[in-house]
Amino acid sequence: MTRPLAAVVAAAVVLLAATGCRYEGDAGPRAGLLGDSISFSADREIVSAVTGGGWRLVRASAPGRTTAEMTAVAERFVGVSPSVMVIELGANDAVLGHSATRMRSDIRRLLGLLRRSGVACVRWADLPTTGVRLDVAPRFAVDAARWNRVLGEELAAASPSFRRGAAVAGYGGWLTARPGRRGADGLHLADSPAARAAFGRWIHQLTAGCR
């Protein structure tokens, strides 16, 4: 279900805000975003909300990608040093039914890369565990719950090593509280401008909370 790494990187680089990982936005503190199809679907709205809120943003999102695959892409962020990193990854790890051991290893590897890159603050979105209907992953609720548990443990352990901490961002709760913004499969955003704009504002709130 995965593509060669080179193809993954090539797909994600489309959203690295142009050649050389340049930032969107003219001034302000630097933020980064790593994501999968959820943030990919609202890319324009995320850029508008974050840069409109006084931040510069460098980002990479690619549908269908796991945490390990996007860690290879995140290595391209090293030279541009965002101070805040928002991560929206894990759904595909759960879809593939990764073990807790593999989840833990992949999360640690990405957090280690961000720490070495000088990121001061990490906010990582969790997964909804109810109301999700995916034919390709009938056990999604169980696997998502496992992901959320491991993610919470690893962020709590890593938080002291980031100057402004590392914490879970409640995408699952955000989505559950906004049924009108929820897509038909219960995991993705509804295909509407309002849903994408609301998600963009939420991403901005996460970055602003790291100030």
Side-chain angles (χ1 to χ4, degrees):
M1 294 180 70
T2 59
R3 295 180 295 174
L5 183 58
V8 174
V9 174
V13 164
V14 171
L15 284 181
L16 273 172
T19 306
C21 302
R22 291 196 298 268
Y23 282 90
E24 298 277 3
D26 297 326
R30 301 182 304 273
L33 170 69
L34 280 174
D36 52 36
S37 56
I38 296 170
S39 54
F40 184 91
S41 70
D43 179 66
R44 183 168 56 184
E45 291 80 5
I46 292 169
V47 171
S48 176
V50 174
T51 60
W55 291 75
R56 288 178 289 165
L57 178 68
V58 61
R59 81 275 189 208
S61 299
R65 299 307 104 201
T66 64
T67 299
E69 290 170 329
M70 292 305 290
T71 297
V73 177
E75 293 174 356
R76 293 170 177 256
F77 285 158
V78 171
V80 296
S81 302
S83 60
V84 173
M85 182 65 68
V86 176
I87 304 170
E88 178 275 302
L89 290 169
N92 294 298
D93 303 71
V95 165
L96 293 171
H98 286 175
S99 68
T101 299
R102 179 166 180 179
M103 290 174 175
R104 195 176 304 278
S105 175
D106 291 343
I107 291 168
R108 285 182 180 178
R109 181 170 172 242
L110 179 51
L111 289 174
L113 173 65
L114 299 179
R115 186 184 303 111
R116 294 190 299 274
S117 302
V119 171
C121 182
V122 176
R123 294 293 181 264
W124 196 321
D126 67 4
L127 302 176
T129 57
T130 60
V132 177
R133 298 169 294 280
L134 296 176
D135 292 339
V136 297
R139 286 176 47 85
F140 182 85
V142 173
D143 295 324
R146 180 167 64 252
W147 170 267
N148 287 349
R149 176 179 58 81
V150 173
L151 179 65
E153 292 170 354
E154 291 303 312
L155 289 174
S159 185
S161 65
F162 289 92
R163 187 157 47 88
R164 297 178 189 166
V168 172
Y171 174 67
W174 182 89
L175 202 60
T176 300
R178 296 164 178 80
R181 308 301 190 221
R182 198 168 193 173
D185 67 3
L187 174 63
H188 292 86
L189 301 171
D191 185 15
S192 72
R196 292 189 292 270
F199 186 75
R201 291 191 297 271
W202 184 62
I203 295 295
H204 170 247
Q205 289 167 5
L206 296 180
T207 60
C210 274
R211 253 183 175 152

